[in-house]
Amino acid sequence: MVKLRNQNVEISGQKVWTGSFFLANYLISMHQSSSPLLKNKSVMELGAGSGILSILASSFLEASFVTASDNDPVALDLLSQNLILNDLHQSQSTIQTASFSWGTDPSKSTPPLSSKSYDVVVAGDVMYKDFLPDLFFKSSSSLLRSAMASSWSK
């Protein structure tokens, strides 16, 4: 079971939204089937907020490495608290947090991220403004290892 601190405010990264719960349930059901999606994969969560998907990927879905990213400092603080709450101390586990603004060079994030270093990008309930899909796909294509990622951003 994932433990989460959650704010009861309508600020995007400080609350777990319904789409994240649905995606979490889907990832769990796929993991329990013969088609685990994240097992032994490096995973980037864009717009992690409180971190439910990253915590799940690192704790239960056997991802090899997880980066939970967000651009909101308050959300990143909440995410760090949730990692501790779930015994996922960054120095001792296969998870890290990063301050990353979509559409920017990943090497300029804090800490710097490597381009083309992730197998999977996950995100739940992050497309709530018209300009976000372009930035999301630009970021995804710069982070994913697969050549297919570049065809998604065209």
Side-chain angles (χ1 to χ4, degrees), residues 113-151:
L113 301 171
S114 300
S115 294
K116 308 294 182 196
S117 59
Y118 294 92
D119 300 310
V120 179
V121 171
V122 296
D125 264 344
V126 296
M127 302 297 172
Y128 53 90
K129 293 182 182 172
D130 291 344
F131 65 89
L132 290 175
D134 286 340
L135 296 174
F136 176 84
F137 287 112
K138 180 179 181 184
S139 295
S140 295
S141 66
S142 71
L143 294 164
L144 285 169
R145 289 183 187 172
S146 169
M148 184 178 289
S150 62
S151 67

Side-chain angles (χ1 to χ4, degrees), residues 11-112:
I11 298 173
S12 58
Q14 298 173 37
K15 176 179 176 175
V16 181
W17 297 88
T18 305
S20 294
F21 285 120
F22 282 118
L23 182 53
N25 283 329
Y26 174 75
L27 293 170
I28 291 167
S29 67
M30 292 305 293
H31 188 74
Q32 293 171 338
S33 74
S34 59
S35 304
L37 297 175
L38 304 183
K39 186 175 183 176
N40 300 320
K41 304 285 186 194
S42 58
V43 177
M44 164 61 81
E45 183 178 7
L46 293 175
S50 60
I52 186 170
L53 299 176
S54 292
I55 293 167
L56 186 65
S58 184
S59 296
F60 303 105
L61 303 180
E62 303 176 76
S64 62
F65 188 79
V66 178
T67 299
S69 71
D70 207 291
N71 195 38
D72 176 2
V74 176
L76 285 169
D77 182 57
L78 183 61
L79 171 59
S80 294
Q81 291 175 42
N82 285 333
L83 293 179
I84 292 167
L85 193 61
N86 286 277
D87 295 321
L88 294 171
H89 307 283
Q90 292 185 64
S91 63
Q92 303 169 342
S93 77
T94 59
I95 191 167
Q96 71 173 357
T97 62
S99 177
F100 178 57
S101 181
W102 298 0
T104 63
D105 181 351
S107 68
K108 306 285 190 230
S109 67
T110 307

